[in-house]
Structures are given as structure tokens and as C-alpha cells.
Amino acid sequence: KIIEFNDDSQEERNATLREIQILKLVGGHPNIIDIVASFETPNYVFIVMELCPYGELFDYLTKVVRLSGIALLSRPSTMTSLVSMYLE
């Protein structure tokens, strides 16, 4: 993943770097994507993550869940099942 920063986005950059640190700390959990490495330049952060065969979770869910299924997402068991399917 590549994240680009504008010159005036120091707050956004700090928040992103903090999120990367947190994800590295919780790495190894079966329901959290592992960050293998991250690299910084003045304008970019490059993140190397474990392979997810279905791509981004959001993209996968928009393909699997129809608009009428939005009500189902409010039930934790449904969301857990969808995430489990995604991670398999």
C-alpha cells in the first residue's frame, strides 16, 4: 500500500505512522492483517502487508453484500461470519 502526503499534512502523517506502529504491535492476531515492513520518504509511506487473496475487505464486502443486506451487518454475528469468509 502506498500513502501519499501533502506538504501540509503533518497531522495526517503522524496519525498514519501511529496506526502502522499499532498494527505492528497487534500483528499475529488471526483477524488482523500483518504488516511485514514499512518505508518512509518525505512524501510517501510504503506499507508491505501480508497477502489477502480477496483484496481489500471493503471491496470484498461490497461484492458479497447487497444493499438489502445492510441491515444484516448491524448484527455482530453476520459481520463476524463475513470477515471469517474473507480471511479464509
Side-chain angles (χ1 to χ4, degrees), residues 71-87:
L72 291 174
L73 289 179
S74 63
R75 295 188 354 216
S77 61
T78 302
M79 192 62 174
T80 302
S81 297
L82 287 171
V83 170
S84 294
M85 285 179 3
Y86 173 78
L87 293 172

Side-chain angles (χ1 to χ4, degrees), residues 1-66:
K1 184 171 197 162
I2 301 171
I3 302 172
E4 182 178 10
F5 297 108
N6 298 325
D7 293 334
D8 59 345
S9 64
Q10 188 61 38
E11 184 177 318
E12 180 182 345
R13 182 184 189 90
N14 290 341
T16 300
L17 295 176
R18 178 158 169 72
E19 183 176 351
I20 291 169
Q21 289 175 338
I22 291 169
L23 288 172
K24 285 180 178 179
L25 287 174
V26 296
H29 188 281
N31 296 328
I32 298 176
I33 300 296
D34 284 333
I35 292 184
V36 177
S38 63
F39 309 94
E40 298 176 48
T41 68
N43 295 318
Y44 296 93
V45 173
F46 301 88
I47 305 170
V48 180
M49 297 181 275
E50 78 175 287
L51 177 65
C52 295
Y54 297 107
E56 294 280 340
L57 178 60
F58 178 78
D59 295 336
Y60 176 74
L61 290 176
T62 56
K63 289 178 187 175
V64 173
V65 179
R66 302 277 183 249

